[in-house]
Amino acid sequence: MARWPWWVQVGGLYVAARLVSAWIFMAAALHQGVNPWFPAKPDYWSFVNIWDARWYGEALQNGYPAVLPTDGAGNVQENAWAFYALFPMLGRVAAGLTGISPASALTMIAMVSGLGAALVIYKLFRLRASHRTALWGTVFVSTFPVSAVLQVPYAESLNLLLLATALLLVMERRYLWAMPAVVLMCLSRPTGVPFAAMIGLLFLHRVWQHYSAAEAGRSRDTPHSVPQLWSLAGLTAVSGIGALLWPAIAWAVTGDIQAYTKTETVWRGHDLVPFKPWFDTGILLFGPVLGVLAPFVFVALFAAAMMCRPVRALGTELRLWCACYMGYLLIFLHPQTSTFRMLLPLFPLALSAALVSRSRAYRGSVVIMFVLLQIVWIVWLWAWAPLPGGGDYPP
């Protein structure tokens, strides 16, 4: 493969990774029992169209409710507003143009978007590493334990493509070109808030860098020129507006300013209280003493990881993105089994993992470990098995 064009290498490895995931899905489907969606032992296409895929299908076919559904006590019930519109909208267009079913259209978009994401991620990694290391980093993303979600009708692959594109354009300082990518990203999944925070902090850093260099008497060939700073300021404003766009749309349609947050918190069973869910989960897992300390230990370990040499090699933009996204999860996320899937936007750390060592044994072992954990993720979380109290852990 070394003589093949880079895009053939990346595309071939990504497709191979998705075939491995497909085999795992099919093997797990053979053991799937009675479930809420289809008969036991479903085929592959039925098996990947469950969980949130059904909600995206609902948004595609029926749109979003103008009135939030509630129970007898007035509590908002699960509804499509928790699922951003870009993915089902593209599915509707694809289904209309091709005549295929909505489920097939969403699956096709997810698979194509995943391939596109792998290509963009490689280009992003090449800004910080050699071809071979960038290729290994892309393979790590493609085989990550939750990477199987990139081929199911979820918006993760589309969001990953748009996020990687936005980060690539930011690193290349093409801030004006990044604006449409950021707006589309904000309409695919809830990554707009941490991205806006990252761009805002990056703008402040670049302004400080620019004027510090000027005051030190250095040449005007600073990291950012004045026009670039203005472009970055514009991207900061667009990112902030984009982060609020979907909640604003939900408000405009339903007339309820909290329509999105009320819907989003239905799945966690209580109102949004920043940071608190991490302590609740810590106490549940480790007890009243260690459970309170667990979030602080986690933050300390993540901060230490961000300071290590392989992560520093990512550069300012990617490190800042990882820090802002993890901060976003700490503030707003209710940690549970879906948390594993929500770690996918931290994909730049895959390049850091590849930079740890050039050893083929090390890198190959990481891929093998990821594939084994992918089996665990699919069998444990994707396949449905009733819990004693009803329901199942979501993937």
Side-chain angles (χ1 to χ4, degrees), residues 7-29:
W7 55 270
V8 176
Q9 297 182 48
V10 174
L13 289 169
Y14 180 80
V15 170
R18 297 286 62 80
L19 288 174
V20 171
S21 299
W23 291 333
I24 299 172
F25 271 124
M26 288 186 284

Side-chain angles (χ1 to χ4, degrees), residues 107-371:
T107 304
M108 178 186 70
I109 291 171
M111 296 175 70
V112 172
S113 296
L115 176 59
L119 296 172
V120 176
I121 286 170
Y122 167 82
K123 293 292 290 182
L124 179 64
F125 287 175
R126 279 293 282 123
L127 297 177
R128 290 290 181 264
S130 66
H131 164 73
R132 184 176 296 274
T133 300
L135 196 62
W136 273 106
T138 307
V139 170
F140 286 176
V141 176
S142 303
T143 58
F144 191 64
V146 299
S147 63
V149 78
L150 299 176
Q151 66 196 71
V152 306
Y154 273 44
E156 266 74 3
S157 55
L158 178 62
N159 180 255
L160 189 64
L161 169 61
L162 295 169
L163 172 61
T165 301
L167 290 173
L168 175 64
L169 293 171
V170 167
M171 290 185 67
E172 293 178 341
R173 301 184 182 181
R174 293 190 287 170
Y175 301 123
L176 297 180
W177 286 100
M179 291 179 183
V182 170
V183 172
L184 292 174
M185 180 197 71
C186 291
L187 292 173
S188 63
R189 275 193 57 77
T191 48
V193 171
F195 194 90
M198 182 269 285
I199 293 297
L201 292 173
L202 180 65
F203 171 69
L204 294 176
H205 172 71
R206 295 307 185 193
V207 169
W208 174 84
Q209 193 177 48
H210 175 85
Y211 287 104
S212 294
E215 290 176 3
R218 300 178 220 170
S219 70
R220 295 300 296 179
D221 186 21
T222 53
H224 275 63
S225 64
V226 172
Q228 286 177 325
L229 289 177
W230 277 110
S231 297
L232 183 54
L235 180 59
T236 302
V238 169
S239 299
I241 294 171
L244 301 175
L245 192 56
W246 184 243
I249 292 173
W251 175 19
V253 173
T254 64
D256 187 338
I257 193 173
Q258 294 182 303
Y260 171 71
T261 54
K262 285 180 179 179
T263 299
E264 189 66 47
T265 54
V266 169
W267 275 266
R268 66 178 65 187
H270 52 76
D271 294 335
L272 174 64
V273 180
F275 301 108
K276 183 177 180 293
W278 287 88
F279 292 99
D280 292 340
T281 302
I283 292 171
L284 179 65
L285 295 175
F286 306 111
V289 178
L290 294 179
V292 174
L293 296 176
F296 295 101
V297 173
F298 174 77
V299 171
L301 291 175
F302 183 80
M306 294 299 294
M307 298 302 295
C308 69
R309 182 177 298 177
V311 178
R312 292 203 307 270
L314 295 178
T316 301
E317 294 89 348
L318 295 182
R319 288 177 69 205
L320 195 55
W321 161 250
C322 291
C324 288
Y325 185 71
M326 183 55 71
Y328 169 79
L329 294 182
L330 288 170
I331 295 172
F332 297 109
L333 180 67
H334 176 75
Q336 30 107 1
T337 49
S338 295
T339 302
F340 301 117
R341 175 168 53 88
M342 296 178 187
L343 297 178
L344 198 57
L346 293 172
F347 73 90
L349 297 179
L351 179 60
S352 298
L355 289 169
V356 168
S357 172
R358 296 181 180 179
S359 166
R360 291 183 180 179
Y362 159 74
R363 290 172 171 176
S365 297
V366 171
V367 172
I368 293 173
M369 178 188 68
F370 279 177
V371 171

